[in-house]
Amino acid sequence: MLSSLVNKYNVAGPRYTSYPTVPYWDSNTFSLKKWRTSLKQSFIESNLDEGISLYIHLPFCESMCTFCGCNKRITKQHSVESPYIDAVLKEWGLYLEILDSKPLIKEIHLGGGTPTFFSPENLKRLINGILRCSNLAENYEFSFEGHPNNTTKEHLQALYDVGFRRVSYGVQDYNETVQKAIRRVQPFENVKRATDMAREIGYTSVGHDIIFGLPFQSIKHVKETIIKTKALLPDRLAFYSYAHVPWIKGNGQRGFKDSDLPDATIKRTQYELGKQLLTEIGYHEIGMDHFALPTDSLYQSMTEGKLHRNFMGYTASKTQAMIGLGVSSISDSWYGFSQNVKAIEDYHHLLKENILPVFRGHILNEKDLIIRKHILNIMCQFKTSWQQDNMYFEELPELLIKLKEMEADELINIGSTYVEVTKKGRSFVRNVCMAFDLLLQRKQPDTKLFSMTV
């Protein structure tokens, strides 16, 4: 039964960190002026109550990992650190001019690339520069992505000193054959050392990222990785499907063939086994592909109905405004999106000219906002409703007809004013969201854009 469902629903689709998804942004209705206006409106509406989130992209890596689809620059020249931090702080200064008031910082997340490519001193200088003109929300949460091989005690202490209490380490898989294929060789001892150091310093949430569907990865490998994960018991886990998108320019997904990847049925078996093992040792499934212990803020947020999803993934709290700093970063005002230029040289050049380094974006119309709420509800709560008039849109009856087949497959329940994802259907939540994605329904992509849903 599982195999037939996988074969049926394993199609290319978005991961829905936004709606509309990036390929469907309308550049004809976007301008820097409109983006500034939407951000200022959102800031005025939400800053005092919620605060804002910051995502800072630190793109440098010393070596290429072949599972990675992120924007990065491979270099061993650490002289790039200071000029890049200066540029990020310059960009932050331009945003402060738009906001025209001290922002209340609720979240900061350092992503990459490899944030721990940067020295502890430079990371501290970056955060102090951000906080110098800001206030902190009462329950702020600062987090960063650490590489187990190069995250030092000095990195952890420096970021702890400026307010960081959460770190996530990219583990991927502990099998050496798999690690060599993805060029990310890191022994269990390195992960243990990095995890232990964080806890000794006082980090309250240590996360691990594990990927299934990697080249040469077997069901046995996944089981062995989960067993080793049990020994460290990270507070939360991202256990997600490898997104094979080698057609995207500049990513590192080379060095292995498509035939080296497990097929869709094996991938789904890997996930179901992993989920079973994680549940047995006390983890709770959070949204899509995430797990957390009951003591972690992500689990608590889910039980309180406060779970949120944005370009940083699942977060324990919602902010209406999220500003992305650094190359390729995406910002979200709720009413609009913008994305920065992807080339570091272009980023530096525009900031020297005192220009926000934005190269594309989208301003949401009224229907976009309604559908966005539905997709967020499905991704975070596995249920959405149009009982309130402001959640109804004219194409909804037509979309519900298309969902009938999923109901017949017992993936969802459809009521008179709601759709609810069943426990069986949670593995196919991206497919449910796709049915609500009006832009995707109207125009299927002509070229490869998305990874497979299973």
Side-chain angles (χ1 to χ4, degrees):
M1 182 62 178
L2 174 64
S3 176
S4 62
L5 287 175
V6 168
N7 291 333
K8 183 175 183 178
Y9 290 105
N10 186 36
V11 297
R15 289 182 178 247
Y16 291 109
T17 49
S18 76
Y19 181 85
T21 56
V22 175
Y24 289 92
W25 286 0
D26 187 353
S27 58
N28 295 321
T29 63
F30 178 83
S31 67
L32 267 178
K33 183 179 180 180
K34 290 180 179 178
W35 163 243
R36 291 190 191 97
T37 300
S38 77
L39 180 62
K40 184 64 181 290
Q41 176 189 350
S42 184
F43 179 75
I44 291 170
E45 291 174 354
S46 65
N47 182 57
L48 291 178
D49 296 327
E50 293 180 351
I52 68 170
S53 297
L54 291 181
Y55 171 78
I56 306 174
H57 191 70
L58 303 175
F60 302 108
C61 299
E62 287 196 345
S63 60
M64 177 78 81
C65 300
T66 59
F67 69 91
C68 180
C70 300
N71 184 352
K72 65 271 182 185
R73 177 69 60 89
I74 307 302
T75 180
K76 294 185 184 294
Q77 302 301 315
H78 286 262
S79 58
V80 299
E81 292 183 34
S82 285
Y84 188 79
I85 287 175
D86 291 339
V88 170
L89 292 176
K90 176 72 174 290
E91 184 185 3
W92 177 234
L94 294 178
Y95 272 112
L96 289 175
E97 291 177 10
I98 295 171
L99 304 179
D100 195 29
S101 180
K102 268 193 172 185
L104 188 68
I105 303 292
K106 183 68 175 290
E107 291 180 308
I108 295 178
H109 183 72
L110 305 181
T114 306
T116 45
F117 172 95
F118 287 73
S119 71
E121 297 75 19
N122 275 329
L123 289 173
K124 205 166 185 176
R125 179 166 76 87
L126 169 63
I127 301 304
N128 282 331
I130 295 290
L131 298 181
R132 193 169 294 121
C133 301
S134 311
N135 296 317
L136 286 176
E138 184 178 351
N139 297 312
Y140 67 88
E141 185 175 85
F142 295 173
S143 58
F144 76 97
E145 298 166 11
H147 192 316
N149 286 353
N150 69 10
T151 299
T152 64
K153 188 172 184 179
E154 290 73 22
H155 280 117
L156 289 159
Q157 188 65 59
L159 288 172
Y160 183 89
D161 290 344
V162 291
F164 283 71
R165 296 295 183 269
R166 189 167 74 80
V167 58
S168 61
Y169 294 118
V171 173
Q172 326 322 341
D173 187 282
Y174 284 116
N175 179 266
E176 189 174 351
T177 299
V178 176
Q179 288 186 351
K180 286 180 178 178
I182 62 176
R183 297 180 190 170
R184 183 67 175 260
V185 177
Q186 51 191 25
F188 172 79
E189 290 72 23
N190 291 10
V191 180
K192 183 179 187 305
R193 183 186 66 246
T195 299
D196 290 345
M197 283 192 304
R199 286 175 168 157
E200 288 165 7
I201 287 171
Y203 282 75
T204 55
S205 179
V206 179
H208 289 181
D209 293 351
I210 300 173
I211 303 178
F212 61 93
L214 290 168
F216 306 110
Q217 187 184 48
S218 68
I219 294 171
K220 181 182 177 182
H221 295 152
V222 171
K223 183 176 181 179
E224 290 171 347
T225 293
I226 299 294
I227 290 171
K228 289 186 175 180
T229 298
K230 179 182 178 181
L232 301 180
L233 215 63
D235 299 276
R236 66 174 70 171
L237 282 160
F239 180 47
Y240 60 94
S241 168
Y242 165 62
H244 191 53
V245 286
W247 55 84
I248 294 179
K249 183 180 178 181
N251 78 22
Q253 296 180 342
R254 301 291 188 274
F256 52 84
K257 305 185 293 291
D258 287 1
S259 58
D260 296 328
L261 299 169
D263 64 31
T265 301
I266 292 176
K267 276 183 72 176
R268 184 44 48 182
T269 304
Q270 289 175 337
Y271 179 75
E272 295 298 336
L273 174 64
K275 180 171 73 171
Q276 176 190 333
L277 294 173
L278 291 171
T279 301
E280 288 173 358
I281 57 179
Y283 287 95
H284 293 265
E285 190 174 20
I286 310 290
M288 179 184 74
D289 301 345
H290 282 65
F291 295 82
L293 295 174
T295 51
D296 190 80
S297 62
L298 201 64
Y299 172 79
Q300 294 160 7
S301 176
M302 181 193 72
T303 58
E304 294 168 3
K306 297 178 180 178
L307 192 66
H308 185 56
R309 186 170 174 83
N310 56 26
F311 285 102
M312 296 188 287
Y314 284 106
T315 63
S317 60
K318 171 186 173 292
T319 64
Q320 186 166 296
M322 187 194 85
I323 295 175
L325 303 175
V327 291
S328 75
S329 287
I330 295 177
S331 298
D332 176 1
S333 68
W334 182 255
Y335 304 109
F337 303 115
S338 72
Q339 183 174 22
N340 283 351
V341 293
K342 296 184 177 182
I344 294 172
E345 295 77 11
D346 294 340
Y347 180 72
H348 282 294
H349 172 73
L350 289 168
L351 287 167
K352 284 179 181 177
E353 300 295 322
N354 293 315
I355 300 171
L356 280 180
V358 170
F359 86 103
R360 66 176 172 181
H362 179 89
I363 302 300
L364 283 77
N365 59 38
E366 187 176 344
K367 191 172 293 183
D368 288 340
L369 286 166
I370 294 172
I371 295 173
R372 180 181 190 182
K373 291 175 186 175
H374 282 299
I375 288 176
L376 263 176
N377 289 343
I378 294 167
M379 293 297 289
C380 296
Q381 301 168 21
F382 296 119
K383 183 178 181 178
T384 194
S385 169
W386 50 94
Q387 189 168 5
Q388 304 297 323
D389 290 342
N390 61 358
M391 290 294 283
Y392 187 85
F393 57 100
E394 61 183 348
E395 293 86 356
L396 185 59
E398 180 185 344
L399 298 184
L400 290 174
I401 292 172
K402 295 181 179 180
L403 281 168
K404 286 291 185 182
E405 191 168 358
M406 285 189 184
E407 186 176 43
D409 288 330
E410 301 177 340
L411 304 183
I412 58 172
N413 293 319
I414 303 176
S416 58
T417 58
Y418 69 89
V419 167
E420 183 175 30
V421 182
T422 66
K423 190 173 182 180
K424 179 180 177 181
R426 290 185 178 187
S427 297
F428 304 92
V429 67
R430 288 167 69 186
N431 301 81
V432 179
C433 291
M434 287 168 67
F436 277 82
D437 189 336
L438 193 60
L439 296 173
L440 181 66
Q441 295 294 331
R442 285 175 173 171
K443 188 179 186 300
Q444 293 291 324
D446 298 323
T447 57
K448 290 182 177 180
L449 295 175
F450 305 115
S451 62
M452 304 302 281
T453 56
V454 176

